Amino acid sequence: MTGGDGDGTAAAPATPPPPLEWKFSQVFGERTAGEQVQEVDIISAIEFDKSGDHLATGDRGGRVVLFERTDTKEHGGSRKYLEKTDYQSNRHPEFRYKTEFQSHEPEFDYLKSLEIEEKINKIRWCQTANGVLFLLSTNDKTIKFWKVQEKKAKKVAEMNVDPLKAVGNGSIASSSVSSINKSSHTTNGEYKDFSSGAIQSLRLPVVVTCNEPSLVARCRRVYAHAHDYHINSISNNSDGETFISADDLRINLWNLEISNQSFNIVDVKPTNMEDLTEVITSAEFHPTHCNTLAYSSSKGSIRLIDLRQSALCDRHSKLFEEHESPGSRSFFTEIIASISDIKFGRDGRYLLSRDYMTLKLWDINMDAGPVSTFQVHEYLRPKLCDLYENDSIFDKFECCLSGDGQRVATGSYSNLFRVFGSVPTSTEATTLEASKNPMRRQVQTPARPTRSLSSSLTRVVRRGGESTSNDTNGNSFDFTTKLLHLAWHPTENSIACAAANSLYMYYA
């Protein structure tokens, strides 16, 4: 993905990298054939930390599970060490289970007669310090700030043994035994003769031993009672001190250290709720500019706001949207235009959005339209009526970008996910299945992209679309198995994705 110069002049198109060949790496929580999945075990959030050495998942049962990378530690510890020694690992990225904790419990709002699910909606990693991990997790109403660190637990053991025999088992130091006078000893003011055998055993003081270090998760702060509607997003600021939380109508700004106060920075609630035409669907801070954030709406638009302009950011600095041509509008147009997720690229220049049918890549310096549009499952368009009847049309798929910005990915049905090349001349459009054989349903000859210019400043590339009513290999689709959540490793071509209660990991 190449950007233009500061004056808007387009840069020469880069040579696209060859398509990646994805391979299976690991699976956690793999189901056996015919095994029923418990609702509470279904994964509802996935997030890598900035280093890529830790991965967190949340589920519908309110639990957060942490994984840590192991393959770099086995070859000298840190990745920096491997780079210094110019060591190229021939092993794929490997993670192991680290710990888990119960983040949220089911609650009941008695004032509104409303049940609050324990399901984890989002997880965001915070800055680490001295090997201690910090992260935010949220359900529909309450955000929690967690601290996870290693602690050595002390074990107290009481032993009733012969002090003369205790020396041999190594549990008591010989110096402590030698201090006992064998001829006499004071106990409750009386002298006892050990040599006579009057006392066959002595109750020794307790012995304290340190066990192996264990991970302890502690909730440091609870940010509650700030949202009337369901929280759909949380996002950390690059300043390391603040974060935002967004629901359908408002975005609040928090300080990590202050849990009883937040500032409302966006409010789209009309005076009369009958005038409500759109809601907030996702919000994300810029990765490097602490004053800039973006939020998306159910009408398919993205607004960029600057916190320096005013305390209440009711006016946006930029608006990104793509208008459908009047002749192509239908009953489903506004429904499928709703954006379910947005993500900034690592450098903050590009913004990726996912609506029901497509991925769109936006250049924040060009608001005339998306620079690329990727068709995720165009073959479902004739089935929109069926998807509306079974509510699948309201599924909220997430999206992600690679660390180098050259590729984007998102999920689909039948536990499939798609990877597209985002470099202008790339034709990469890969279909993968969340299984041990990810290339099983791969299209051997993906269709080449077609191009059209929507304006002099915007290049629209639509690729990856198929005209069949089935999936990419002619197989019928299963709308009950959907891959909603996935994350791309920040520095490597490695993807973690959730298929029900199973966490699959792939590398290229």
Side-chain angles (χ1 to χ4, degrees), residues 356-357 377-384 387 413 477 479:
Y356 187 69
M357 299 296 291
H377 38 217
E378 186 63 20
Y379 38 80
L380 295 182
R381 196 171 291 275
K383 296 179 175 291
L384 289 180
L387 293 165
Y413 293 101
F477 249 68
F479 299 117

Side-chain angles (χ1 to χ4, degrees), residues 5 19 52 119 132 139 153 171 266 272 279 304 390 396-397 468 497:
D5 299 328
K119 186 189 88 167
V132 181
N139 65 353
S171 61
V266 175
N272 184 356
V279 296
L304 205 65
N390 62 23
K396 300 185 183 304
F397 293 93
T468 63
C497 57

Side-chain angles (χ1 to χ4, degrees), residues 121-122 124 232-233 279-284 295-302 334-343 352-360 376-377 392-400 410-411 483-486:
N121 290 343
K122 295 289 180 182
R124 290 293 180 265
N232 55 49
S233 304
V279 296
I280 298 168
T281 57
S282 182
E284 183 97 348
Y295 70 91
S296 59
S297 83
S298 57
K299 278 194 168 182
S301 61
I302 302 173
E334 286 194 8
I335 299 175
I336 63 175
S338 178
I339 295 175
S340 56
D341 191 27
I342 58 172
K343 292 281 171 50
L352 182 68
S353 67
R354 170 69 202 263
D355 57 43
Y356 187 69
M357 299 296 291
T358 66
L359 275 174
K360 291 185 174 72
V376 179
H377 38 217
S392 294
I393 201 170
F394 302 107
D395 288 334
K396 300 185 183 304
F397 293 93
E398 294 179 359
C399 59
C400 58
T410 192
L483 200 150
L484 302 176
H485 312 286
L486 76 172

Side-chain angles (χ1 to χ4, degrees), residues 19-20 376 379 416-418 427-433 438-448 464-466 468 470-475:
L20 295 177
V376 179
Y379 38 80
L416 300 181
F417 64 101
R418 309 210 64 191
T427 60
E428 183 174 357
T430 308
T431 302
L432 301 157
E433 182 182 49
M439 306 293 284
R440 183 170 69 91
R441 299 172 77 158
Q442 169 62 25
V443 186
Q444 299 302 320
T445 54
R448 294 185 61 82
E466 295 83 14
T468 63
N470 296 323
D471 70 10
T472 52
N473 247 6
N475 300 310

Side-chain angles (χ1 to χ4, degrees), residues 31-62:
R31 300 192 307 277
T32 58
E35 180 184 354
Q36 292 294 321
V37 179
Q38 299 296 319
E39 180 80 10
V40 294
D41 294 332
I42 295 177
I43 297 173
S44 56
I46 300 179
E47 185 80 2
F48 280 105
D49 70 349
K50 284 189 176 181
S51 69
D53 291 336
H54 293 92
L55 174 68
T57 66
D59 62 27
R60 295 188 183 181

Side-chain angles (χ1 to χ4, degrees), residues 373 375 427 447-453 459-464:
T373 300
Q375 304 292 342
T427 60
R448 294 185 61 82
T450 58
R451 296 187 184 180
S452 62
L453 292 177
R459 176 188 61 82
V460 178
V461 178
R462 298 181 180 269
R463 57 176 174 270

